[in-house]
Amino acid sequence: MHGEPLRPHDIDVTTPSVARMYDYLLGGKDNYQADRNACEQLLKTAPSTRELARNNRLFLQRVVRYLAVQHGIDQFIDHGSGFPARENVHQVAQRVHPGAAVVYVDHDPVVIAHSRALLGSNEHTAVLHADLRNTDLIFGHEDTRRLIDFSRPVAALFVSVLHCLRDEDQPAKLMQNVIKRLAPGSCLVICQLVSDQPQIREVVTSFMRRTTNNHWGRVREESEVQAYFTGLDIIEPPGLVEVSTWMPDTDLAPRQKTFEWKVWGGVGIVP
């Protein structure tokens, strides 16, 4: 169920990890000094980063609940899932559908170790140690096939992860590769970091590539993210938006105070 074992030398705690940096910004404990130092440096350039991370997490929870309730979806593949924080995908989905199946995918060995320890007793979840670009492996894995019925609608989640891909990884092509494997009525949840400020795009991209040992892609523009939804019927309203404004629970929901950068995207349905 849990795939190949992890070895101690797979884990490098001296190089900041995107997943562990995100955990720190959310107030988690699954991070190391290198991750904390990198976040504090990043906050000097983009002070809204901590709010951005929290709003991104709330978006994930809202969108899973929405898809489970309004579209009846009970199968989820979470690409680049990160640490299983409280109110993770399976908890939100299984509150609506007790038998909801969730496959978590990540390549960070620390994330995998923690996720497997926490989710080992949940028979409706699986944790895959895989690169999100390897759609053949993810969709063909025995655990995925055990849990996911691809003849029915599936929600494929790419929440705040595609900015980790370089342009040569062709994220738009990756989305098309995923779309063609999904039944009609399936949904893609896609969002990533964008900025309309060229200097922020350049400075943050350079910082993150240097800090994470090139495990980072690029801060993009809204039009580039919109291209990821080609061939999908975007749920309107709200369409593609800054994620804290995607169907907020209340008018008092948290908002960013500044917008050096933002997480931008939405949900598309496979026709």
Side-chain angles (χ1 to χ4, degrees):
M1 173 180 178
H2 297 313
E4 65 285 354
L6 296 174
R7 298 157 297 184
H9 64 263
D10 289 329
I11 299 175
D12 175 10
V13 301
T14 62
T15 300
S17 149
V18 174
R20 298 195 304 264
M21 289 174 67
Y22 184 50
D23 176 73
Y24 173 69
L25 291 168
L26 291 174
K29 299 179 180 178
D30 296 312
N31 51 76
Y32 298 95
Q33 192 61 49
D35 308 304
R36 297 189 282 273
N37 291 345
C39 286
E40 293 303 324
Q41 287 183 262
L42 183 58
L43 285 164
K44 293 177 182 178
T45 301
S48 64
T49 300
R50 182 171 277 112
E51 298 162 328
L52 176 150
R54 291 171 178 169
N55 285 332
N56 180 72
R57 191 72 196 180
L58 292 172
F59 165 70
L60 173 64
Q61 294 164 359
R62 288 198 310 278
V63 77
V64 170
R65 183 174 67 243
Y66 171 84
L67 293 178
V69 173
Q70 300 298 329
H71 290 261
I73 290 182
D74 61 358
Q75 306 185 104
F76 297 81
I77 303 177
D78 187 2
H79 297 79
S81 54
F83 288 98
R86 186 173 62 86
E87 289 299 286
N88 214 34
V89 174
H90 72 284
Q91 293 167 309
V92 177
Q94 290 173 2
R95 192 169 295 123
V96 181
H97 305 290
V102 179
V103 175
Y104 292 107
V105 181
D106 209 289
H107 70 89
D108 186 313
V110 179
V111 168
I112 295 300
H114 282 253
S115 298
R116 288 175 177 170
L118 288 172
L119 301 175
S121 62
N122 191 314
E123 63 182 1
H124 299 295
T125 67
V127 181
L128 305 189
H129 188 201
D131 189 313
L132 66 89
R133 296 169 294 183
N134 196 340
T135 305
D136 287 342
L137 185 154
I138 294 167
F139 280 60
H141 195 283
E142 61 179 345
D143 285 341
T144 306
R145 292 290 176 179
R146 174 176 59 83
L147 291 173
I148 305 295
D149 177 1
F150 286 104
S151 69
R152 299 193 299 110
V154 177
L157 311 179
F158 292 87
V159 175
S160 207
V161 68
L162 293 178
H163 47 247
C164 294
L165 300 186
R166 297 290 190 101
D167 289 346
E168 52 264 37
D169 294 321
Q170 299 180 286
K173 184 177 180 180
L174 172 63
M175 293 303 95
Q176 292 304 306
N177 192 22
V178 171
I179 290 168
K180 71 182 182 181
R181 297 166 184 264
L182 298 176
S186 295
C187 295
L188 262 72
V189 181
I190 306 171
C191 62
Q192 84 141 78
L193 290 163
V194 303
S195 178
D196 58 8
Q197 301 178 39
Q199 182 179 8
I200 287 292
R201 293 198 300 270
E202 179 180 343
V203 170
V204 173
T205 294
S206 176
F207 171 79
M208 288 301 295
R209 287 183 178 179
R210 184 174 66 252
T211 301
T212 64
N213 195 23
N214 282 324
H215 292 151
W216 181 259
R218 181 164 65 86
V219 180
R220 295 186 169 89
E221 299 179 67
E222 291 179 7
S223 60
E224 296 177 279
V225 179
Q226 188 168 11
Y228 300 162
F229 291 85
T230 299
L232 299 174
D233 297 328
I234 297 172
I235 291 179
E236 301 266 9
L240 304 182
V241 294
E242 186 270 310
V243 297
S244 74
T245 66
W246 195 94
M247 298 190 185
D249 292 328
T250 72
D251 292 337
L252 300 177
R255 298 284 193 276
Q256 284 179 236
K257 297 177 182 177
T258 59
F259 284 94
E260 306 87 28
W261 59 349
K262 59 188 176 184
V263 179
W264 192 86
V267 182
I269 301 175
V270 178

